[in-house]
Amino acid sequence: MTTDTATESETMADALHGVSPDTARQLLNDMLLYRRFEEKAEEAYAIGKIGGFCHLHIGQEGVAAGCIAPLRDSDYAISAYREHTQAIAKGIEPKHVMAELFGRVDGCSGGKGGSMHLFDIEKRFMGGHGIVGGQVPLASGIAFSIRYRELDELVICFMGDAAVNQGGFHEAMNMSAVWDLPAIYVVENNAYGMGTAFTRVSRNPIDEKALSYGIPATVVNGQDVLETYATFTQLAAKVRAGEGPQFVDVRTYRFKGHSMSDPVSGTYRSKEEVDDRVEHQDPIAILRDTLFEADELDQATLEEYDAEAKEAAQAAFDFADAAELPEPDALYRDVYAELNPNGRLFFDGLDRPDFAR
Amino acid sequence: MAVMTYRDALNEALREEMQRDGDVFLMGEEVAEYDGAYKVSKGLLNAFGDRRVVDSPISELGFAGLGVGAAMTGLRPVIEFMTFNFSILALDQVINSAAKMHYMTNGQIGCPIVFRGPTGAALQLSAQHSQACETYYVHAPGVKLVTPGTPADAKGLLKASIRDDDPVAFMEGELLYNLKGEVPDDDDFVIPLGVADVKKEGDDVTIITHGKMVNVAMQAAQKMEKDDGVMAEVVDLRTLRPLDVDAVLASVKKTNRAVYLEEGWSYVGIGAQIVSLVQEEAFDWLDAPILRVTQADVPMPYAKNLENLAKPNAKRVIDACHRVMYR
């Protein structure tokens, strides 16, 4: 009897990758929120509430949840432009993310950043960067700063698979390795850089690129959030122990187009491929089934979680929709942190508020 | 007053600011063990150790971006480019990251960083090592640009740049490093950004300039005074953003004639901006069109005679002054 219980519990722990059932349920909750939030953003974009580029994370929620949940509030996160859910995962309230997408003053960047430039210094979410790979050297700088000040913190840096072909990525990997910087570099490998398959633009696999700089590299199935969570828990401990940077190739898949203005499938990937991934590789469905099988979740609880997620997404939409646009004076505000008392900083010849004269 | 070289003035400024603020660090190629490619950082490794004086790999984009990331978290990096020619590799991080950080974060995250090194031509370094890079840096809102032409200005302005809360590009000159001049002894000698300096007073014509060309302007002004009795006023802008427009207008209103002298190319150059401002704000005070003396509109050639033809010099400044005075 005792033996049976032990075996059963070990099997369950194994299925959950050693993650506790409570944490697993929380991750499911998180991913449902991210999914419903992104669907609401999609809806808002379709009716013109959101402008510009809007890159959805649907299908990749396991990466946001599994990589960030093991970290501390004092750790930094920085990302590229498919970052709505990562911003929420790092603690920014969904309503402030949605308001930013709407270009409203209550957005986490005051309406001046938009979808690609979400920031919250209190939550240590450092953007939101729009140039592929541009955030990678910035992450190394944040890590340099942590090491310089001898703090017990780290930075997690997200990038897409296309970023590993940028020069700045390689320069940053090299410096991080040489200086043992406390950083985890995460490639969200969804197999396509916009419409170009990674295998068409790289001869070697992604992890080899980091290995060549002497950085340990791990490959993780990002559609299995429990595997992702367990892996990042271990990697964060290594970085905190002073072992230097870590690199992770997280295999995932984007269920939607590159941005809201792009088709889901077409010349670069078939509808059949996308349908197959949506059916078999949905990180939410995978975790749901795992929890069902382990008797750690029932249908009623699942429905309750989902209803809460939908409600939160709707509340974010309503908040954003009711929020004010930035004041016209905001146009000139914060171009500079320091308005020098002497000389002229603005040259457009337009009417400007007094502080910008 | 102490007489020292431009190089030593920069070295003192770095040393004093690093002593004053533990968040200031210096990073770049050859800055530590080699004592700096142009010896500006001589002795700093010994004084501050390799935590704060950091030799980088030859990765301009990478270490410029690393500096920006460090500045985002409150450090005050001084990033040395061996020359600003090489910084063209780093412009993405300067323009897309540093210049926009404070704005696109709605003021949440600043970027107090200094990018410094020599700009412009030296002697026969040819096309890729002889470019004046001011325009690249001053074009995008969000970056300040400082261009000292004398040892005192180098010291006082570098200290102000390091203390400034915004990204500052600080452009020196290879041919300036050995220039000697008087520098105040005060160890808190700081020249605020945005204040031009009238290097020589005069009533007949204004020569407006910045950086290394201040010295060429002075040669021209002194020769004109000696040869023709023409009193040229030399206005050294010292910083290009913020720009002391009032000083420019005051001088033009006094002399009614102006020449802009710069080392870079003419097309969309600094002089073009100054001409635009003066015609907008002091049109009625002008007695002649403003002329510009710039580098020839070609990549810098190697051959000594061709290089001399390409560079601005005192004779061309004097010719331009004569033309605006209809002499």
Side-chain angles (χ1 to χ4, degrees):
Chain A
M1 189 68 185
T2 316
T3 315
D4 282 351
T5 312
T7 312
E8 209 172 277
S9 133
E10 273 165 26
T11 312
M12 194 194 79
D14 195 39
L16 300 187
H17 290 274
V19 179
S20 79
D22 282 345
T23 301
R25 278 188 294 268
Q26 185 57 50
L27 290 168
L28 180 66
N29 227 327
D30 293 344
M31 289 196 297
L32 282 165
L33 172 63
Y34 307 155
R35 174 70 53 91
R36 299 309 180 198
F37 179 93
E38 290 289 67
E39 287 171 351
K40 191 55 75 177
E42 188 176 20
E43 191 184 312
Y45 191 93
I47 57 173
K49 297 278 185 190
I50 298 174
F53 289 135
C54 182
H55 309 86
L56 301 178
H57 211 219
I58 292 174
Q60 304 181 208
E61 295 91 343
V63 188
C67 300
I68 294 177
L71 304 183
R72 299 176 184 164
D73 291 347
S74 56
D75 294 330
Y76 292 91
I78 186 167
S79 188
Y81 45 76
R82 195 181 303 286
E83 90 286 29
H84 308 163
T85 66
Q86 293 157 347
I88 297 170
K90 196 66 184 69
I92 309 181
E93 286 188 56
K95 64 181 184 181
H96 294 304
V97 175
M98 191 68 86
E100 189 58 38
L101 306 189
F102 278 50
R104 303 301 169 94
V105 72
D106 295 315
C108 56
S109 305
K112 285 163 110 171
S115 165
M116 296 188 282
H117 305 303
L118 304 171
F119 287 90
D120 189 329
I121 186 66
E122 296 296 320
K123 302 295 181 188
R124 302 206 159 179
F125 189 77
M126 309 300 278
H129 298 272
I131 308 297
V132 171
Q135 75 280 17
V136 186
L138 300 179
S140 308
I142 294 168
F144 182 89
S145 192
I146 293 167
R147 203 202 59 165
Y148 188 92
R149 291 172 160 154
E150 298 175 353
L151 299 171
D152 183 23
E153 297 169 358
L154 58 82
V155 60
I156 189 166
C157 174
F158 294 96
M159 70 197 89
D161 44 87
V164 306
N165 288 327
Q166 286 278 31
F169 164 83
H170 292 270
E171 296 180 16
M173 286 304 107
N174 184 48
M175 290 186 293
S176 292
V178 167
W179 295 328
D180 285 325
L181 300 182
I184 307 177
Y185 297 97
V186 185
V187 176
E188 284 198 69
N189 180 2
N190 65 20
Y192 298 95
M194 199 170 163
T196 302
F198 183 74
T199 50
R200 292 174 56 218
V201 291
S202 178
R203 177 73 70 159
N204 63 342
I206 282 176
D207 57 336
E208 281 186 11
K209 301 188 193 270
L211 289 170
S212 74
Y213 294 103
I215 299 178
T218 311
V219 179
V220 178
N221 174 14
Q223 304 310 84
D224 183 343
V225 69
L226 299 178
E227 180 187 331
T228 306
Y229 180 93
T231 303
F232 277 79
T233 304
Q234 288 169 10
L235 295 180
K238 285 186 181 185
V239 173
R240 281 186 220 289
E243 291 184 25
Q246 293 285 334
F247 182 91
V248 195
D249 172 1
V250 184
R251 302 285 167 81
T252 186
Y253 197 79
R254 158 165 61 73
F255 290 179
K256 299 286 177 175
H258 170 68
S259 83
M260 278 301 296
S261 32
D262 302 304
V264 173
S265 57
T267 49
Y268 72 97
R269 62 178 189 179
S270 67
K271 182 172 183 307
E272 291 70 29
E273 177 186 308
V274 178
D275 289 347
D276 179 68
R277 296 299 192 103
V278 170
E279 193 181 338
H280 300 294
Q281 290 292 316
D282 184 332
I284 296 175
I286 289 171
L287 177 57
R288 177 199 63 197
D289 294 347
T290 304
L291 287 170
F292 276 162
E293 275 167 35
D295 273 336
E296 290 293 345
L297 182 74
D298 56 42
Q299 186 62 31
T301 310
L302 175 66
E303 284 171 15
E304 190 186 311
Y305 287 174
D306 197 35
E308 282 167 15
K310 283 178 174 163
E311 209 172 290
Q314 183 62 46
F317 178 102
D318 294 340
F319 175 86
D321 204 27
E324 301 289 334
L325 292 168
E327 292 288 326
D329 275 10
L331 179 63
Y332 289 95
R333 211 175 290 287
D334 294 321
V335 180
Y336 300 94
E338 182 173 344
L339 296 171
N340 308 87
N342 305 293
R344 196 179 289 184
L345 282 168
F346 299 91
F347 295 89
D348 52 20
L350 301 171
D351 283 339
R352 292 188 297 268
D354 284 342
F355 67 82
R357 289 198 188 283
Chain B
M1 290 276 187
V3 173
M4 68 173 72
T5 62
Y6 188 98
R7 171 188 290 112
D8 290 343
L10 292 169
N11 183 278
E12 275 200 355
L14 285 167
R15 197 178 288 267
E16 288 169 14
E17 291 309 298
M18 289 181 74
Q19 269 156 4
R20 179 177 175 270
D21 183 349
D23 286 341
V24 177
F25 71 93
L26 175 67
M27 176 180 283
E29 294 152 6
E30 311 292 358
V31 297
E33 291 194 7
Y34 197 80
D35 268 342
Y38 294 101
K39 307 300 172 204
V40 169
S41 56
K42 190 172 183 180
L44 296 183
L45 174 65
N46 276 345
F48 297 101
D50 62 4
R51 172 174 166 267
R52 297 183 65 196
V53 183
V54 186
D55 277 329
S56 74
I58 299 182
S59 303
E60 279 83 5
L61 176 64
F63 68 75
L66 187 147
V68 174
M72 288 169 75
T73 35
L75 294 184
R76 305 184 82 87
V78 177
I79 300 296
E80 176 172 313
F81 292 125
M82 195 181 289
T83 91
F84 267 94
N85 294 284
F86 310 157
S87 84
I88 295 171
L89 281 160
L91 273 180
D92 171 59
Q93 288 295 352
V94 175
I95 292 173
N96 277 316
S97 297
K100 293 165 178 58
M101 199 60 67
H102 197 253
Y103 193 76
M104 69 183 179
T105 65
N106 198 33
Q108 293 182 80
I109 299 176
C111 191
I113 188 169
V114 173
F115 301 104
R116 52 154 290 273
T119 188
L123 296 172
Q124 285 193 280
L125 298 182
S126 67
Q128 294 179 337
H129 284 67
S130 307
Q131 302 169 90
C133 294
E134 289 91 315
T135 300
Y136 302 132
Y137 280 80
V138 84
H139 188 60
V143 179
K144 295 171 181 174
L145 177 55
V146 177
T147 55
T150 67
D153 290 346
K155 182 172 181 186
L157 289 168
L158 182 54
K159 288 167 70 80
S161 299
I162 292 170
R163 295 182 194 184
D164 198 278
D165 284 337
D166 287 301
V168 177
F170 188 93
M171 297 191 177
E172 305 156 9
E174 282 153 77
L175 296 180
L176 289 173
Y177 288 133
N178 285 330
L179 179 77
K180 284 187 178 165
E182 289 192 333
V183 177
D185 294 320
D186 178 6
D187 68 3
D188 207 30
F189 168 61
V190 177
I191 299 173
L193 305 191
V195 181
D197 186 38
V198 177
K199 288 283 194 281
K200 181 180 183 304
E201 292 199 5
D203 297 320
D204 296 327
V205 59
T206 300
I207 306 168
I208 313 161
T209 189
H210 68 269
K212 189 196 304 170
M213 289 297 112
V214 169
N215 302 288
V216 175
M218 290 298 284
Q219 283 169 27
Q222 279 153 6
K223 187 164 167 51
M224 281 191 287
E225 181 177 354
K226 188 164 152 257
D227 294 354
D228 314 317
V230 168
M231 297 300 288
E233 179 146 299
V234 176
V235 177
D236 174 6
L237 295 176
R238 299 203 289 200
T239 75
L240 300 182
R241 200 198 273 260
L243 181 71
D244 190 348
V245 180
D246 291 345
V248 172
L249 297 178
S251 184
V252 169
K253 287 178 182 178
K254 181 165 80 169
T255 65
N256 313 112
R257 300 161 201 280
V259 167
Y260 198 89
L261 165 62
E262 68 185 304
E263 200 179 0
W265 294 301
S266 56
Y267 193 87
V268 203
I270 305 303
Q273 179 66 39
I274 300 300
V275 170
S276 168
L277 285 166
V278 173
Q279 64 85 22
E280 277 175 42
E281 300 182 32
F283 184 78
D284 289 338
W285 298 84
L286 285 174
D287 285 344
I290 302 172
L291 292 183
R292 293 182 289 151
V293 177
T294 68
Q295 189 192 315
D297 217 357
V298 298
M300 188 63 83
Y302 169 72
K304 202 172 182 63
N305 64 323
L306 296 181
E307 185 185 46
N308 284 338
L309 284 172
K311 285 175 167 177
N313 56 34
K315 182 179 179 308
R316 287 177 54 204
V317 176
I318 293 169
D319 289 347
C321 288
H322 285 168
R323 282 176 62 198
V324 300
M325 295 167 70
Y326 300 110
R327 285 168 69 102

